[in-house]
Amino acid sequence: MSKFSLPDPPAQVTVRYADLCGVDLSSEQRSVAPQRASYAQNMYKKYVDGYSNFVETRPGLQTLGQFGGRIHGMYFWGKGLASKVLVHAGTSLYLWDNFPSAPGALSALCEMANRRSTGFLHGDRLYILDGLRYLCFDGSTCAQVEGYVPTTSIARTPAGGGTTYQSVNLLTGRRKNSFRGDGTSRVYALDATGLDDSTVTATVNGAPASDFTVDGAAGTVTFATAPPTPGGGDDNVVVAFSKTAAGNRSRIEGCTQTCAFDGRVFFTGNTDYANVLWHSELDNPAYIPDVNYYQDGDETAPIASIVVQDGSLIVLKNTSQHGAALYSHAPALDYELGRVYPVSESVISVGNVSPGAAISFRDDLVYLSAFGLEGISYPNVTAGQRILCHRSTVVDSALRGEDLASVMLEEWDGYLCLLCGERLFLADSRGRYGSGSEYEYEWFLWTGIGAYQNDVFRPACYVKEYEGVLYIGTTQRSEEHTSELQSQH
């Protein structure tokens, strides 16, 4: 009979984390620094009063509503009792009147492209782009943006001439010419020929005129009675007409990125014009002159993101082959064109791999590359010097396993959130290590971000912060839109 003896119990090892900074997913477990954890999923620091911090499990997700398709966008219009929420789900834009209560019967405001959209507020209007349309919501209805009608020439004589005044608007073929009558001429020559149709209107001395004929091919208007000579010598005849250039409006409607800068709105992301950046006129998103554009670098390297930093508009491109990945546009004055934004090229060549994945995070310009999160530091702001600094070493090994081309960035409660499907990476703005401008962030990792529908887990695909709350949209066909409203353990 054999004799067996039980082995000694294994020695217990206790690890005490003092002042936990975050996770370290890049090191071999035995090499992880004591202030970091190799496995601490679904934890984060909850900051109180801006300085006291407590390590807690992540807040839970509370289901708010279900929509008819993948969540592509969430927009907030108005304030207080007048506030409204619009949700882009699938191929429709929905108005959510009773937010945050569960939505009732939803009716679509308008049709949308089945892809991620972008939008911005200007005054009391919400503007939305989805790569096919340029829409405007006024608080009750949503329709295509009606382009501002420019006056393309002034001080014209009936025979023509005059002074070029405003540029053609890409959003509309409508334009106006302003003349000075001479009391004898009945035929007035416009600054364009081959008009769209005979939809021409005119005013004489401010009053509508109707007794005239139009030769659209020749671009002339013939009045039955010659308009009089103006008493003060100013223009007294205005003719409005249409001359549409094919494809003008689609240049803007095809855009998928917008950014407000210097009182104007900038547009890019049109795949047919991959390296082109357009901008509106001052304080008028409905007026985008056909001369207000710039071409940044090689057209084979598309613009991925645009963001404002240090008084310039920064353009980040998706380039891994050659050429610069960063361009900047600083405001300047031109004698003839007025406000312009000349482009300057940087030596930074690490590209931005995810469209829209760039942000000024607490004054730190960061973007997502194939290597992780990059930061642009300015060791010499006066000289315009920029250097590339990595910001995500401790989570790079996990980040690189994700589909980085679809990652979304959003700032929430002092954290930069990188949504990668069901995983959310959080960079802590209050937790940094390193020296000078070459610092890195401490990170946390949340998993299981999404919702169950019919016992099937649907991962997150959209993230949005509003008034301190983080909203999560999921991928299922019958969408659940979930929100982290409070800490739930």
Side-chain angles (χ1 to χ4, degrees), residues 272-332:
D272 292 330
Y273 303 88
N275 67 330
V276 180
L277 181 72
W278 290 273
H279 71 80
S280 71
E281 277 297 275
L282 179 65
D283 201 34
N284 191 351
Y287 183 23
I288 306 171
D290 60 354
V291 297
N292 286 7
Y293 73 94
Y294 306 91
Q295 298 184 70
D296 290 0
D298 192 334
E299 64 181 6
T300 62
I303 293 174
S305 304
I306 49 179
V307 62
V308 176
Q309 182 77 2
D310 293 324
S312 295
L313 183 74
I314 304 299
V315 173
L316 293 158
K317 303 192 71 178
N318 184 358
T319 173
S320 58
Q321 301 297 322
H322 56 82
L326 187 150
Y327 296 80
S328 64
H329 295 262

Side-chain angles (χ1 to χ4, degrees), residues 445-461:
L445 172 61
W446 294 356
T447 60
I449 306 300
Y452 280 90
Q453 184 184 32
N454 299 325
D455 296 325
V456 177
F457 180 76
R458 306 296 182 177
C461 63

Side-chain angles (χ1 to χ4, degrees), residues 109-429:
L109 283 174
C110 59
E111 186 179 356
M112 299 282 287
N114 194 13
R115 53 152 298 140
R116 191 181 298 172
S117 57
T118 185
F120 62 91
L121 284 167
H122 184 271
D124 60 352
R125 298 288 189 271
L126 170 66
Y127 294 84
I128 301 175
L129 280 157
D130 64 359
L132 289 178
R133 301 167 188 81
Y134 184 26
L135 303 169
C136 178
F137 176 71
D138 62 6
S140 58
T141 61
C142 189
Q144 293 196 58
V145 172
E146 184 176 345
Y148 166 82
V149 180
T151 300
T152 53
S153 57
I154 59 174
R156 293 176 68 84
T157 67
T163 302
T164 299
Y165 183 48
Q166 294 176 315
S167 298
V168 170
N169 188 356
L170 291 175
L171 298 176
T172 179
R174 296 291 292 177
R175 62 189 79 173
K176 295 185 286 187
N177 288 176
S178 182
F179 299 84
R180 294 175 183 173
D182 59 11
T184 59
S185 299
R186 296 189 303 115
V187 180
Y188 281 64
L190 304 174
D191 63 6
T193 59
L195 309 187
D196 289 351
D197 49 42
S198 58
T199 307
V200 176
T201 61
T203 61
V204 177
N205 290 333
S210 58
D211 198 1
F212 59 84
T213 59
V214 179
D215 185 337
T220 60
V221 174
T222 302
F223 291 92
T225 303
T229 302
D234 295 328
D235 291 0
N236 66 329
V237 178
V238 177
V239 179
F241 59 96
S242 293
K243 169 68 175 181
T244 301
N248 265 8
R249 186 177 178 97
S250 65
R251 298 186 182 199
I252 303 303
E253 291 181 325
C255 290
T256 56
Q257 298 283 329
T258 63
C259 184
F261 173 61
D262 199 34
R264 294 154 177 83
V265 181
F266 286 74
F267 303 82
T268 193
N270 188 325
T271 55
D272 292 330
Y273 303 88
N275 67 330
V276 180
L277 181 72
W278 290 273
H279 71 80
S280 71
E281 277 297 275
L282 179 65
D283 201 34
N284 191 351
Y287 183 23
I288 306 171
D290 60 354
V291 297
N292 286 7
Y293 73 94
Y294 306 91
Q295 298 184 70
D296 290 0
D298 192 334
E299 64 181 6
T300 62
I303 293 174
S305 304
I306 49 179
V307 62
V308 176
Q309 182 77 2
D310 293 324
S312 295
L313 183 74
I314 304 299
V315 173
L316 293 158
K317 303 192 71 178
N318 184 358
T319 173
S320 58
Q321 301 297 322
H322 56 82
L326 187 150
Y327 296 80
S328 64
H329 295 262
L333 290 176
D334 181 271
Y335 180 76
E336 293 183 355
L337 299 176
R339 197 73 157 176
V340 294
Y341 302 87
V343 60
S344 62
E345 182 177 332
S346 77
V347 297
I348 293 172
S349 59
V350 178
N352 182 194
V353 296
S354 180
I359 191 172
S360 181
F361 177 47
R362 301 292 178 99
D363 297 326
D364 182 21
L365 174 58
V366 295
Y367 70 93
L368 195 65
S369 78
F371 308 106
L373 190 71
E374 312 292 349
I376 306 296
S377 293
Y378 298 77
N380 191 335
V381 176
T382 304
Q385 181 183 0
R386 297 182 177 92
I387 60 173
L388 188 68
C389 301
H390 203 62
R391 303 286 197 234
S392 59
T393 296
V394 294
V395 293
D396 280 344
S397 60
L399 268 178
R400 291 173 189 170
E402 301 288 348
D403 176 15
L404 297 182
S406 60
V407 171
M408 285 194 70
L409 271 59
E410 186 75 359
E411 186 175 348
W412 167 74
D413 196 27
Y415 288 97
L416 177 62
C417 303
L418 280 65
L419 180 65
C420 309
E422 65 174 291
R423 300 210 290 181
L424 193 72
F425 294 81
L426 296 91
D428 189 353
S429 65

Side-chain angles (χ1 to χ4, degrees), residues 14 36 58-59 88 94 129 175 268 338 395 403 428 444 482:
T14 301
R36 300 193 187 99
R58 70 168 174 86
H88 174 194
Y94 299 96
L129 280 157
R175 62 189 79 173
T268 193
V395 293
D403 176 15
D428 189 353
F444 291 92
T482 59

Side-chain angles (χ1 to χ4, degrees), residues 27 64 233 457:
S27 302
L64 295 181
F457 180 76

Side-chain angles (χ1 to χ4, degrees), residues 57-74:
T57 56
R58 70 168 174 86
L61 296 177
Q62 176 181 333
T63 298
L64 295 181
Q66 298 183 358
F67 297 85
R70 179 188 181 105
I71 300 295
H72 294 303
M74 187 176 186

